[in-house]
């Protein structure tokens, strides 16, 4: 079950089917999709968000494999501005977290707030021992968030994205490292 989370400026609300139209309005933009998994169809089809929410995201949530939140400003709780999700580890190569935010809301620290809330949930509610995520090297903004969280780059590989094949950094942090950093002892 995906619980409601809050940050100083954001509401992280569990993804629901009614979020599909807002996702459909935001996602078909190159600035959002270029560093997403190549399973994201491009060009983005008119029913892309509906298919994603109905056939992929909600079943994964029901199975307990994923936790997905819509991101909304507390000052505008009816407006979806992004998504963040966590994925249960199936193998050592798997990403455990992914996110995107409307470009008009980038550069304000909002995604860092969301990533911190989701990461804390991952470690201190779900109890996982480590979190891994990959970042295309040209995706500097996303890597900046990961670095701020105290994650360390553990590998460099090549990976496919919607925008093509890019050098990719694999980032990792353990629960002990996360909690030490939060406590100011890391």
């Amino acid at each position: 079950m995906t619980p409601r989370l809050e940050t100083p400026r954001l509401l992280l609300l569990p993804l629901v089917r009614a979020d599909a139209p807002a996702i459909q309005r935001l996602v078909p933009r190159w600035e959002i999709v270029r560093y997403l998994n190549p399973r994201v169809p491009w060009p983005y089809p008119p029913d892309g968000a509906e298919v994603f929410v109905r056939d992929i995201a909600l079943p994964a949530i029901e199975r307990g494999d994923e936790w997905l939140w819509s991101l909304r400003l507390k000052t505008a709780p009816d407006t979806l501005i992004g998504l963040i999700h966590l994925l249960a580890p199936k193998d050592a190569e798997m990403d455990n977290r992914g996110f995107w935010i409307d470009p008009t809301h980038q550069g304000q620290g909002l995604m860092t707030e969301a990533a911190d809330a989701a990461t804390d949930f991952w470690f201190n509610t779900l109890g996982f021992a480590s979190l891994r995520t990959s970042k295309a090297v040209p995706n500097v903004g996303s890597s900046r968030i990961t670095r701020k969280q105290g994650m360390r780059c553990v590998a460099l590989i090549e990976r496919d994205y919607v925008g093509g094949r890019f050098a990719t950094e694999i980032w990792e942090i353990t629960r002990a490292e996360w909690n030490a950093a939060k406590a100011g002892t890391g």
Side-chain angles (χ1 to χ4, degrees), residues 79-93:
T79 303
L80 185 147
I81 63 167
L83 290 183
I84 189 165
H85 71 275
L86 299 170
L87 300 91
K90 294 180 182 142
D91 60 55
E93 298 299 312

Side-chain angles (χ1 to χ4, degrees), residues 1 55-67 90:
M1 169 122 191
D55 299 343
I56 299 168
L58 292 179
I61 292 167
E62 289 172 22
R63 287 191 309 271
D65 294 338
E66 296 186 26
W67 300 264
K90 294 180 182 142

Side-chain angles (χ1 to χ4, degrees), residues 34-186:
R34 68 181 162 190
Y35 300 123
L36 294 181
N37 188 298
R39 290 177 298 199
V40 174
W42 189 257
Y44 203 66
D47 65 346
E50 179 66 28
V51 169
F52 166 72
V53 171
R54 181 191 67 223
D55 299 343
I56 299 168
L58 292 179
I61 292 167
E62 289 172 22
R63 287 191 309 271
D65 294 338
E66 296 186 26
W67 300 264
L68 287 101
W69 292 270
S70 66
L71 307 180
R72 298 154 187 276
L73 294 170
K74 285 183 174 178
T75 58
D78 294 331
T79 303
L80 185 147
I81 63 167
L83 290 183
I84 189 165
H85 71 275
L86 299 170
L87 300 91
K90 294 180 182 142
D91 60 55
E93 298 299 312
M94 184 174 181
D95 286 341
N96 304 125
R97 187 185 71 207
F99 52 69
W100 60 264
I101 192 166
D102 180 346
T104 63
H105 291 91
Q106 291 176 1
Q108 302 171 37
L110 294 166
M111 191 50 79
T112 299
E113 285 184 30
D116 285 351
T119 302
D120 199 63
F121 175 78
W122 177 262
F123 286 129
N124 296 313
T125 300
L126 298 175
F128 288 108
S130 66
L131 182 137
R132 277 191 162 208
T133 188
S134 62
K135 308 290 177 180
V137 170
N139 193 356
V140 176
S142 188
S143 294
R144 190 177 304 121
I145 292 166
T146 302
R147 196 173 289 109
K148 274 193 235 176
Q149 287 194 299
M151 296 181 87
R152 66 195 178 296
C153 185
V154 296
L156 183 64
I157 62 172
E158 292 282 320
R159 190 172 274 176
D160 292 324
Y161 296 86
V162 171
R165 189 161 186 83
F166 296 105
T168 299
E169 297 168 328
I170 307 298
W171 295 82
E172 183 177 63
I173 191 168
T174 66
R175 182 175 49 237
E177 291 165 336
W178 173 256
N179 286 327
K182 275 184 46 185
T185 60

